Amino acid sequence: MERKLFLKGLAIVAVLPSVFIAACSNEKKPEAAGAAKEKQQTFTCPMHPQVIKNEMGTCPICGMDLVPFEKNSDDKALKIDATRQALANITTIVIGANSLAGTKQLNGRLTVNPEQSSYISSRIAGRVEQLYVRETGVKVSKGQPLYKLYSEQLTTLQQEYLMAVAQEKQFQGDKIEKQIVASAKQKLLLYGQSESQVQQLIKTQKKDPFVVFYAPEGGVIAELSVTQGQYVTEGSPILRLEGYGQLWVEADVYPNEVKNIKVGQKVKVIVAGWENQPQEMTISFITPALQSGTQLTQIRGSIPNPGNQWQPGLQANVLLPLASTGNVLTLPVDAVIREGKGMHVWIKKSKDTFEPQLVKTGQENDSQVEITEGLTNGDQVVVTGAYLLYSEYILKKGKNPVDVLK
């Protein structure tokens, strides 16, 4: 009997530690879970996002207070207290129906009009004996000598012409001989000889293997394709002349604005630095495709350039008149954040809560833009500080607000 009691007591003593251990572990589990849950909240520095800590504190780099970092949060709302709103100059307006009119300013530039360019090539094979113009950017006048060419082929054509003229004298009145003379003369003219040079050839009876080529019109040397002493073949490019008497104006347009623009429409052009000389331009072409790597298309027209006072590459603003529309929702242009993924605004939901909202726009002028989708009458929309909210959201959430909305 005593032996049984002893064994029973021994068994109880052996079981007690495991019971205590289990109890202790059960008591610690909620604390551990709570600790793990707390560890999910991290903090970062607004100025140095590479600083990430698991507790509140200050930035070791700049000393600023750390802010909550909500990278894993799917909440699209952003909380900004009143003090920070004042510092960031965040202001709002209640959107409502208005009328939209005025002009839309398009960013543009002056470019060369290809119709004013001349491409000069060699009419005959030979060697460039002399280049009278050896650098680009030089202005030349119509009739100015450009280069001299030495050509054995030209000597042969001159000899054929002299022989044809001599043979015609022997058979005066023969129609075939006259045709041969005319054909030989035409060859010389086509290969660059002038009428006076042909007459001089008949007078002196001396062949001249050199031929000088003159500028067909005035312009600026934009490209030189040969050097002095170089041999060229028939048709080889020699140089390119650009005329600046008329310039193209190319302006960038968003695709949703193209529907309000027509070929033949008249617009005003203001060249930067010559604001007191506005020019009237007729739109002659609308590019059917978007520019590579952008979400923009282009419109084009031409303006006169008296005295070549403007150079290609100058900035020009195109003022596009807008038809007056009424009873549309409008916002200041700066309230809409535009990026490759879409357009959005920020709506104030409560005293310190802001949320992004995707929108679509219609017509716009220099200060106002029409909102066609995404907002309703009475929404309180951020008009200043929208880009700061955009940056704050990316910093805190670690993602683009447009990605959350889609």
Side-chain angles (χ1 to χ4, degrees):
M1 185 67 179
E2 293 180 357
R3 179 179 177 84
K4 289 182 179 181
L5 292 174
F6 174 75
L7 293 175
K8 187 177 181 180
L10 186 61
I12 293 174
V13 172
V15 172
L16 283 175
S18 61
V19 174
F20 284 117
I21 291 173
C24 291
S25 62
N26 289 334
E27 291 179 359
K28 291 182 178 180
K29 279 184 181 178
E31 295 179 3
K37 188 175 182 179
E38 290 179 359
K39 287 183 179 179
Q40 292 179 357
Q41 177 64 64
T42 56
F43 300 87
T44 186
C45 174
M47 298 299 295
H48 303 91
Q50 70 271 24
V51 176
I52 299 177
K53 292 187 176 183
N54 294 329
E55 59 183 3
M56 265 305 276
T58 57
C59 175
I61 300 175
C62 63
M64 289 184 65
D65 291 336
L66 300 182
V67 296
F69 184 56
E70 305 169 2
K71 184 174 183 180
N72 297 322
S73 174
D74 293 329
D75 184 13
K76 63 180 181 180
L78 184 65
K79 293 186 179 297
I80 305 290
D81 58 51
T83 303
R84 295 179 63 196
Q85 290 181 40
L87 291 174
N89 191 29
I90 297 175
T91 61
T92 62
I93 63 170
V94 177
I95 189 171
N98 294 294
S99 59
L100 184 65
T103 59
K104 166 69 175 177
Q105 180 174 301
L106 305 178
N107 294 324
R109 68 211 61 84
L110 302 182
T111 62
V112 175
N113 185 348
E115 297 176 355
Q116 302 290 311
S117 299
S118 298
Y119 295 84
I120 299 175
S121 58
S122 177
R123 297 187 182 181
I124 193 168
R127 183 182 70 242
V128 179
E129 189 69 17
Q130 185 172 356
L131 269 178
Y132 296 105
V133 181
R134 302 190 184 186
E135 58 183 341
T136 59
V138 176
K139 187 177 180 180
V140 297
S141 304
K142 183 177 180 179
Q144 180 177 333
L146 298 177
Y147 67 99
K148 179 193 286 187
L149 195 71
Y150 171 82
S151 175
E152 292 289 349
Q153 185 180 356
L154 180 62
T155 305
T156 302
L157 294 175
Q158 290 175 350
Q159 181 63 37
E160 289 179 1
Y161 178 65
L162 291 175
M163 290 176 62
V165 171
Q167 193 167 348
E168 184 193 15
K169 289 181 180 180
Q170 294 180 0
F171 301 95
Q172 292 185 0
D174 192 303
K175 293 183 178 180
I176 295 178
E177 294 299 332
K178 286 184 178 181
Q179 291 176 357
I180 293 175
V181 171
S183 176
K185 179 180 179 181
Q186 185 65 23
K187 284 183 180 180
L188 289 174
L189 294 176
L190 290 175
Y191 281 113
Q193 296 276 271
S194 64
E195 184 70 33
S196 60
Q197 287 174 318
V198 174
Q199 296 300 325
Q200 183 70 15
L201 175 63
I202 296 175
K203 182 178 180 180
T204 61
Q205 295 291 304
K206 291 183 179 180
K207 301 184 291 296
D208 185 4
F210 298 99
V211 58
V212 178
F213 292 91
Y214 302 89
E217 57 187 31
V220 175
I221 303 294
E223 182 180 352
L224 273 173
S225 303
V226 297
T227 57
Q228 187 165 300
Q230 178 179 336
Y231 282 86
V232 294
T233 59
E234 184 178 342
S236 296
I238 302 296
L239 53 85
R240 175 166 57 91
L241 276 175
E242 286 183 349
Y244 294 162
Q246 193 177 57
L247 295 176
W248 272 358
V249 180
E250 295 179 341
D252 300 325
V253 183
Y254 286 102
N256 64 331
E257 297 172 338
V258 174
K259 61 185 179 183
N260 301 317
I261 304 174
K262 297 180 180 179
V263 173
Q265 182 177 352
K266 294 186 180 297
V267 295
K268 185 180 292 186
V269 176
I270 298 178
V271 181
W274 284 268
E275 287 78 5
N276 60 337
Q277 300 181 33
Q279 303 291 312
E280 186 178 69
M281 180 185 78
T282 302
I283 297 175
S284 60
F285 185 74
I286 301 175
T287 306
L290 298 181
Q291 300 178 59
S292 178
T294 71
Q295 294 296 311
L296 297 170
T297 186
Q298 284 187 338
I299 62 172
R300 187 176 69 218
S302 60
I303 59 173
N305 185 22
N308 294 347
Q309 64 176 339
W310 301 318
Q311 296 78 38
L314 280 173
Q315 181 182 359
N317 294 321
V318 177
L319 303 181
L320 185 69
L322 296 178
S324 179
T325 55
N327 198 30
V328 294
L329 297 179
T330 62
L331 279 177
V333 173
D334 293 338
V336 181
I337 298 178
R338 310 168 193 256
E339 56 173 338
K341 295 183 177 182
M343 294 180 288
H344 72 277
V345 298
W346 286 87
I347 301 177
K348 189 172 185 179
K349 291 293 186 178
S350 64
K351 183 179 179 181
D352 58 356
T353 304
F354 300 87
E355 288 186 6
Q357 175 63 47
L358 289 176
V359 295
K360 290 185 179 179
T361 61
Q363 294 188 18
E364 65 178 277
N365 55 29
D366 295 340
S367 59
Q368 297 289 313
V369 58
E370 177 188 0
I371 305 298
T372 58
E373 289 185 24
L375 297 177
T376 58
N377 198 336
D379 285 338
Q380 192 170 1
V381 184
V382 175
V383 292
T384 62
Y387 280 92
L388 291 175
L389 292 176
Y390 173 71
S391 303
E392 181 82 1
Y393 190 94
I394 293 178
L395 177 65
K396 283 190 173 183
K397 309 288 186 178
K399 60 187 72 174
N400 193 313
V402 177
D403 295 332
V404 178
L405 297 172
K406 289 184 176 180

